[in-house]
Amino acid sequence: MKRFVRIDNPTSKDNDLIQNELKSGKEVILQFASRIYTDEVLANINMLCRESDENLCIRFYSHHSKLFDCKTLLKISYVKCLYIDCLHDVLNLDYLKELKHLKILSLGVFEMRDTEILDSENLKNLTGLFISDTSSKAFNLDYLRKFKKLKSLRIAGHTKNIDAIGELVELNDLSLNAVKKVPVGFINRLKDLKNLSFILGSRENLNEIEENSIENLDIIRVRGFNDLSCIRRFTKLQNLKVEDQIQLSEICFENEFPLLIDLRILNCKSLATLNGMNNLTGLESLVVYQTNIDFDKFIEQTFSNNLKTFGFYTTKAKADRVIKEVLEARGYCCR
């Protein structure tokens, strides 16, 4: 994960710091929570944007005392990475269409009335897009079909024409947040997809997903999720995180997963079975936290010779001390 630094209310005095952080490979986010920016400040930021790539991000958020006016965006016309998010409402959203150099956009306006904003010509050149939840469920995703350069996409709460995502042949990262029970078979058309996340929302399983090349899979707090038998199709997995899934009772690795190096099972209180550890031949790190798994039976399985970090926690202090002693006696590092 790329390191980043946030700078609140930047001025020209911060230019050296900004440029040094960018040269070190960090993502730099210049952010404003209210309308304290002047034309001079914006002109300086625009100059920095002109000289930098999309690792320099400009963010406007909050603005509780006064609505953010998107006409301001004309003063940073060279911006390549823009966050206008955590906003209740804005003025003149149409000015977003004037940003010809934009590559990454995070759009989070709760009262966004323009549900067809993705039909903007300049947005078709985006490589990264993050759309937050809005009061309207009519936000139209159909225009995504034309976003052929898009590599990273996060959608929160929107489902209208969601199958258009299947046309994004360059997509590498996809996060579906707070998306409720819509078919996700379109994922099977994303042959270059490597990172997939389901966060919040609701669905019982991921059985629509066929064999794939996904390397990183997160399933976090998805309501009603009770079946992970489809995991056998994720044979290219390197990292798997399953968290806050209270209806999931078992996970079984029936076939070999030679590439899986990190497995985290967190706060799945009904999970009583975690089998097939012998098939995780490349596993290096394992954390099991607050489940219904019997440690004494679980530890009898055969584990990867590469396993170095092994944490198993019941949240009961006495039991956890005993488990830690057992694991450390076997040479594992407990975290």
Side-chain angles (χ1 to χ4, degrees):
M1 182 178 293
K2 182 180 290 187
R3 296 173 300 163
F4 68 91
V5 59
R6 297 180 187 272
I7 301 176
D8 292 303
N9 308 318
T11 68
S12 58
K13 296 179 181 179
D14 297 305
N15 284 7
D16 288 342
L17 170 63
I18 293 168
Q19 291 170 343
N20 287 335
E21 296 286 16
L22 289 170
K23 288 178 181 177
S24 71
K26 293 180 183 177
E27 178 181 298
V28 178
I29 303 174
L30 310 182
Q31 59 183 22
F32 300 93
S34 61
R35 276 190 65 178
I36 63 171
Y37 34 85
T38 64
D39 287 353
E40 181 182 359
V41 166
L42 294 175
N44 178 65
I45 288 177
N46 198 37
M47 178 196 68
L48 291 171
C49 288
R50 184 175 184 174
E51 297 173 349
S52 306
D53 61 14
E54 52 265 41
N55 284 318
L56 178 61
C57 303
I58 315 304
R59 184 184 186 215
F60 299 96
Y61 71 106
S62 185
H63 282 60
H64 291 309
S65 61
K66 200 166 187 178
L67 294 183
F68 174 67
D69 190 344
C70 291
K71 190 174 182 180
T72 302
L73 300 176
L74 298 181
K75 298 176 181 179
I76 54 168
S77 60
Y78 283 101
V79 65
K80 300 176 182 71
C81 177
L82 175 66
Y83 293 75
I84 43 176
D85 57 11
C86 297
L87 293 163
H88 184 75
D89 205 352
V90 297
L91 300 172
N92 301 312
L93 185 61
D94 271 357
Y95 283 105
L96 180 63
K97 301 176 182 179
E98 303 300 319
L99 302 178
K100 307 302 182 185
H101 302 277
L102 202 58
K103 297 297 181 184
I104 298 174
L105 172 65
S106 178
L107 188 58
V109 181
F110 188 70
E111 293 296 345
M112 187 162 52
R113 285 167 286 279
D114 188 351
T115 59
E116 311 295 318
I117 189 65
L118 294 183
D119 189 26
S120 303
E121 194 64 30
N122 64 320
L123 300 187
K124 295 173 185 176
N125 291 316
L126 292 178
T127 59
L129 176 62
F130 316 109
I131 306 173
S132 299
D133 201 5
T134 64
S135 60
S136 171
K137 300 307 176 186
F139 191 87
N140 194 355
L141 301 176
D142 194 58
Y143 303 108
L144 288 175
R145 300 179 192 278
K146 300 178 181 180
F147 285 49
K148 299 301 184 182
K149 299 179 182 179
L150 204 61
K151 293 184 179 297
S152 182
L153 175 64
R154 183 173 69 235
I155 300 291
H158 301 291
T159 59
K160 183 178 179 180
N161 296 316
I162 195 172
D163 62 310
I165 294 175
E167 303 295 321
L168 302 177
V169 295
E170 297 290 328
L171 201 64
N172 186 265
D173 304 286
L174 175 62
S175 183
L176 299 177
N177 300 3
V179 171
K180 298 180 180 179
K181 293 186 178 180
V182 293
V184 292
F186 59 82
I187 290 175
N188 296 318
R189 308 203 300 273
L190 304 175
K191 302 304 181 183
D192 288 339
L193 193 67
K194 295 294 183 275
N195 307 301
L196 176 62
S197 299
F198 288 88
I199 302 173
L200 298 173
S202 60
R203 66 184 57 253
E204 294 183 359
N205 55 63
L206 301 177
N207 292 344
E208 297 167 82
I209 301 179
E210 302 167 354
E211 290 188 13
N212 57 77
S213 298
I214 293 168
E215 297 176 354
N216 305 294
L217 175 64
D218 288 352
I219 305 170
I220 302 173
R221 205 171 295 180
V222 179
R223 188 169 58 254
F225 194 87
N226 58 36
D227 177 11
L228 194 54
S229 58
C230 70
I231 198 65
R232 65 185 182 276
R233 304 181 192 132
F234 291 73
T235 56
K236 302 295 177 62
L237 271 185
Q238 296 181 16
N239 301 278
L240 173 62
K241 181 178 181 180
V242 183
E243 182 174 356
D244 292 332
Q245 299 308 146
I246 61 174
Q247 294 188 32
L248 187 64
S249 62
E250 67 174 358
I251 300 175
C252 297
F253 297 98
E254 299 174 350
N255 48 299
E256 190 171 352
F257 290 78
L259 304 177
L260 186 62
I261 60 174
D262 186 85
L263 174 61
R264 286 173 286 171
I265 310 295
L266 311 174
N267 198 33
C268 298
K269 296 178 182 179
S270 298
L271 189 74
T273 302
L274 180 57
N275 286 340
M277 302 307 295
N278 60 303
N279 285 322
L280 310 185
T281 54
L283 195 65
E284 298 176 2
S285 178
L286 170 64
V287 177
V288 179
Y289 175 86
Q290 203 166 14
T291 67
N292 196 33
I293 297 171
D294 185 316
F295 174 76
D296 293 330
K297 293 181 179 178
F298 180 66
I299 197 64
E300 292 176 1
Q301 297 187 66
T302 300
F303 295 89
S304 166
N305 292 330
N306 298 312
L307 187 60
K308 299 294 186 295
T309 300
F310 192 156
F312 192 105
Y313 305 96
T314 67
T315 70
K316 298 177 181 177
K318 183 178 180 179
D320 286 350
R321 281 197 300 270
V322 173
I323 290 171
K324 183 178 181 181
E325 290 173 359
V326 171
L327 293 175
E328 289 181 339
R330 297 193 180 200
Y332 295 119
C333 173
C334 302
R335 69 175 185 186

